[in-house]
Amino acid sequence: MHADPRQQLENKTDTQNGKDPDTYMSPLLVAARHGTTEMVEKILEIQPAAILDVDPANKNIFVLAAEHKRFEVLELLREKFSNMKSAFRAVDNMGNNALHAAAMYRPGRWIGIPDGLQMQVETILFEAVKKSVPEYILRGSNNDNMTPKQVFDHTHAMLLETSRTWLKETSNQCSGLAGIIASVTFATSTAIPGGVTEKDRPKLENQLGFTIFAASSLIALSFSVTSAVVFLTIANSRHEKRDFAKKVPRMLFFGFFTLFISIAATLISFCGAHIYILGYKLKYAAIPLYALVVLPITVFSLAQFRKSYLQLALATFEMKIDDSG
């Protein structure tokens, strides 16, 4: 059985004498560890030989930058200092190259991000680092005869299961909410405010409020059903590691987007129908009153949606991830 690479990749200086590991590193390694690309570039321009610096665990700038997921530093090194090929081939005391380090999962790094999205971030960063290192590094093995992909699979096994559980629970909750909205909007979309005429035509069909009610209730029904189907699909699928780079976040994005639209449309349809209850008494004052009721709920929902999911989903669309591997 393979030893846990998590222990192999642990920086031995982290606990040495209880001091900060930066104490035992050169300025270049400290800059790489913290992702300060400007300092890395300046130091290497002034002193190119600094690229050979290593820490007590024999980790050079490439291994440290990859270990701390500083792929912007790796990209800089590959673009401007690719002539220093010997540094790209460097390994630490355990035989780990830069991609081995990038494959390592460090618990607690992504505080505040849900488990399911942590797997997404880890996958995206691993793929980004993979594109920033020479191709021959992909096939390198460490002292345990493990390739970077095997290290990634091994150290992310528990997170993968946790992510699947999180996805299932979240999708079940959201599909239940979408189902409730669909039930409500189905009942309201078939109701006709104000009744019908002798010719079975809506009495209020030429009123703006009725048009808003009819259109928004149909939109709410369509989007809520779509959202329920998407979340049920997510909940009933067994997602593999590669799915978390693009497939899972795109489905989550689409599911939450349709759910949000259905909630907003439901509120609008309610206001469109309810305006006939207060509209005759408040007249034009009823419209801003309904806006004040709907606006806080809409803003809160949009803020939570954007904070938790939208930014990560958009980041996935912007990054070109290789799905072939």
Side-chain angles (χ1 to χ4, degrees):
M1 182 177 179
H2 294 297
D4 191 346
R6 187 173 303 173
Q7 299 299 323
Q8 297 176 2
L9 291 171
E10 198 67 40
N11 193 327
K12 295 181 181 179
T13 64
D14 284 353
T15 57
Q16 187 174 349
N17 298 327
K19 296 182 180 180
D20 192 304
D22 290 351
T23 306
Y24 305 95
M25 297 181 185
S26 68
L28 177 65
L29 298 182
V30 173
R33 184 173 183 264
H34 293 283
T36 312
T37 55
E38 297 84 358
M39 185 176 293
V40 170
E41 184 175 7
K42 197 67 176 177
I43 292 174
L44 288 177
E45 287 177 353
I46 298 174
Q47 184 58 271
I51 201 168
L52 301 176
D53 291 349
V54 294
D55 72 354
N58 205 39
K59 298 176 182 178
N60 73 348
I61 184 173
F62 294 96
V63 177
L64 276 173
E67 180 180 357
H68 294 277
K69 311 298 171 70
R70 307 298 185 184
F71 62 91
E72 67 277 11
V73 174
L74 291 170
E75 191 64 25
L76 169 69
L77 294 172
R78 183 171 186 177
E79 288 179 358
K80 296 192 175 182
F81 304 97
S82 58
N83 57 321
M84 305 176 182
K85 295 182 179 179
S86 60
F88 278 99
R89 294 192 293 268
V91 296
D92 65 10
N93 291 337
M94 303 305 301
N96 297 297
N97 60 37
L99 198 55
H100 282 108
M104 184 64 222
Y105 172 59
R106 298 170 68 101
R109 181 167 179 79
W110 310 113
I111 297 174
I113 299 179
D115 293 333
L117 298 182
Q118 283 188 32
M119 191 66 192
Q120 175 203 357
V121 175
E122 285 285 317
T123 305
I124 289 176
L125 290 179
F126 179 71
E127 294 293 336
V129 172
K130 189 196 307 187
K131 291 183 176 183
S132 300
V133 298
E135 197 170 318
Y136 55 80
I137 283 184
L138 308 183
R139 301 182 295 273
S141 297
N142 60 14
N143 292 353
D144 262 343
N145 200 31
M146 296 179 72
T147 64
K149 185 178 184 304
Q150 289 173 326
V151 172
F152 185 88
D153 293 345
H154 181 72
T155 60
H156 288 79
M158 186 176 296
L159 179 63
L160 178 61
E161 292 305 316
T162 304
S163 299
R164 286 170 175 166
T165 301
W166 178 86
L167 278 175
K168 187 177 182 64
E169 292 176 352
T170 302
S171 298
N172 284 335
Q173 293 172 1
C174 291
S175 62
L177 175 59
I180 293 174
I181 296 174
S183 300
V184 172
T185 53
F186 178 79
T188 56
S189 63
T190 56
I192 302 179
V196 296
T197 64
E198 295 179 355
K199 297 182 179 180
D200 293 329
R201 299 294 299 174
K203 292 181 179 179
L204 304 173
E205 64 177 335
N206 294 322
Q207 298 291 323
L208 177 61
F210 180 82
T211 302
I212 292 174
F213 165 79
S216 58
S217 60
L218 180 59
I219 292 173
L221 177 61
S222 300
F223 276 81
S224 60
V225 172
T226 302
S227 179
V229 172
V230 171
F231 282 116
L232 285 174
T233 301
I234 296 175
N236 294 322
S237 299
R238 182 172 178 81
H239 303 285
E240 301 301 329
K241 287 181 288 295
R242 58 181 294 178
D243 295 335
F244 285 88
K246 294 178 73 173
K247 181 180 177 180
V248 169
R250 284 183 175 181
M251 292 182 70
L252 275 176
F253 172 78
F254 186 64
F256 281 111
F257 175 76
T258 52
L259 181 60
F260 171 75
I261 294 297
S262 66
I263 293 173
T266 301
L267 292 172
I268 293 173
S269 67
F270 166 78
C271 293
H274 198 267
I275 196 170
Y276 293 108
I277 299 176
L278 296 179
Y280 294 109
K281 295 182 179 180
L282 301 180
K283 295 185 178 180
Y284 297 108
I287 295 177
L289 178 62
Y290 286 126
L292 289 174
V293 172
V294 174
L295 185 61
I297 301 175
T298 304
V299 171
F300 174 78
S301 300
L302 183 59
Q304 293 300 312
F305 176 71
R306 181 178 182 274
K307 178 181 178 181
S308 301
Y309 307 102
L310 186 56
Q311 290 180 334
L312 284 171
L314 290 179
T316 303
F317 290 125
E318 292 171 359
M319 296 185 69
K320 296 180 180 179
I321 302 301
D322 182 10
D323 288 331
S324 62

